[in-house]
Amino acid sequence: MKTRVSPLFLALLGATVLGGVLATVDQPFARTTGIVLIVIGGWAASLCLHEFGHAITAYRGGDLSIPGKGYLTLDPRRYTDPVLSIVLPLLFVIAGGIPLPGGAVWINHHALRTRRVESMVSLAGPLTNLVIGMLITAAVLLVPMPIGLSTGLSYLAFLQVIAFVLNILPVPGLDGYGAIEPWLSRQAREFGEKARPWAPLVLFLLLFAVPFVGQAFFSLAYLVFGVVGGNPVLAMLGQETFRFWQ
């Protein structure tokens, strides 16, 4: 299997690295610009890696059509609609909201070998976010770095954890439901298929409109963030700097 990494993905990584460099500068404008680039570039790159996780797992599980669709190039344009896949999730992050799931890869589920493989394909995306979050928090914990860099990376890591917690929920339309769907009865799968278009919208409405639901969600996210070694104070400082206009 030969694939070529998309120049667009490499550009996102480059923007993230540039942000990391600027975040070390002891000057407020440069530091703020660096944190913004870390978060936007890093989050966009992680959306691509999330979908790559789904794709590579499906390919290894039997769907040999994956390379031909360009999913293994990490090109954000390949993951359904670029606006819904990349731009909209970025706008939600910029607005300070819950990071939306990104795009989707079209999997030939009939080609997957077992139900277990189907479950792993669904879990691969959110687990990718969790691993990214763990790697970032480990770097912040183990490597001495300026405060600007540590706060920017911590907020990016927290976004990865939020994405993991959100996507792992067993709600039709999210990856957590996709993991259990192969094991459900035919009637339950039919209901899930009907609920798929609107169930995530109901979830987001509850998260934003019902205080205790949002509080419970973020409490769980902070719990997971702490378990993987994240520093909530650094993450909050990073968020405050990232949202400099507020």
Side-chain angles (χ1 to χ4, degrees):
M1 176 183 64
K2 293 182 180 180
T3 59
R4 182 175 63 88
V5 177
S6 166
L8 287 177
F9 178 75
L10 295 177
L12 293 174
L13 291 183
T16 308
V17 172
L18 175 60
V21 173
L22 290 175
T24 65
V25 177
D26 189 20
Q27 196 277 337
F29 179 78
R31 185 165 57 245
T32 299
T33 302
I35 290 175
V36 170
L37 285 175
I38 288 173
V39 175
I40 292 180
W43 174 242
S46 74
L47 290 172
C48 298
L49 290 168
H50 175 108
E51 300 306 329
F52 177 85
H54 289 308
I56 191 66
T57 307
Y59 176 71
R60 291 177 175 174
D63 185 358
L64 302 183
S65 69
I66 291 293
K69 297 173 182 176
Y71 294 158
L72 303 183
T73 64
L74 290 165
D75 190 333
R77 297 171 299 180
R78 297 289 185 172
Y79 303 130
T80 64
D81 183 86
V83 174
L84 297 177
S85 304
I86 304 295
V87 177
L88 192 59
L90 278 176
L91 289 177
F92 263 72
V93 168
I94 291 171
I98 295 174
L100 291 175
V105 291
W106 297 105
I107 304 297
N108 180 7
H109 289 271
H110 297 292
L112 300 179
R113 299 188 183 98
T114 64
R115 289 186 293 178
R116 180 178 176 275
V117 170
E118 288 191 70
S119 295
M120 290 307 301
V121 168
S122 292
L123 291 174
L127 287 176
T128 298
N129 290 112
L130 182 62
V131 170
I132 294 172
M134 293 173 65
L135 291 175
I136 296 173
T137 55
V140 173
L141 186 64
L142 300 175
V143 180
M145 59 183 67
I147 187 66
L149 184 57
S150 63
T151 56
L153 289 176
S154 294
Y155 182 46
L156 177 59
F158 186 51
L159 290 176
Q160 303 302 319
V161 170
I162 294 176
F164 166 75
V165 173
L166 178 64
N167 276 286
I168 210 70
L169 296 176
V171 175
L174 299 182
D175 293 327
Y177 177 79
I180 65 173
E181 186 178 21
W183 309 91
L184 299 177
S185 66
R186 181 174 60 84
Q187 292 83 357
R189 292 197 303 271
E190 290 176 352
F191 174 79
E193 190 63 30
K194 294 177 181 178
R196 193 183 305 274
W198 53 264
L201 297 177
V202 173
L203 173 63
F204 295 137
L205 180 63
L206 291 173
L207 288 172
F208 286 114
V210 182
F212 80 87
V213 175
Q215 291 169 3
F217 175 81
F218 277 101
S219 293
L220 177 59
Y222 274 113
L223 175 63
V224 176
F225 189 55
V227 169
V228 301
N231 186 321
V233 174
L234 291 178
M236 285 188 287
L237 289 173
Q239 183 183 34
E240 290 176 1
T241 306
F242 174 74
R243 300 171 65 182
F244 62 89
W245 61 91
Q246 294 184 341

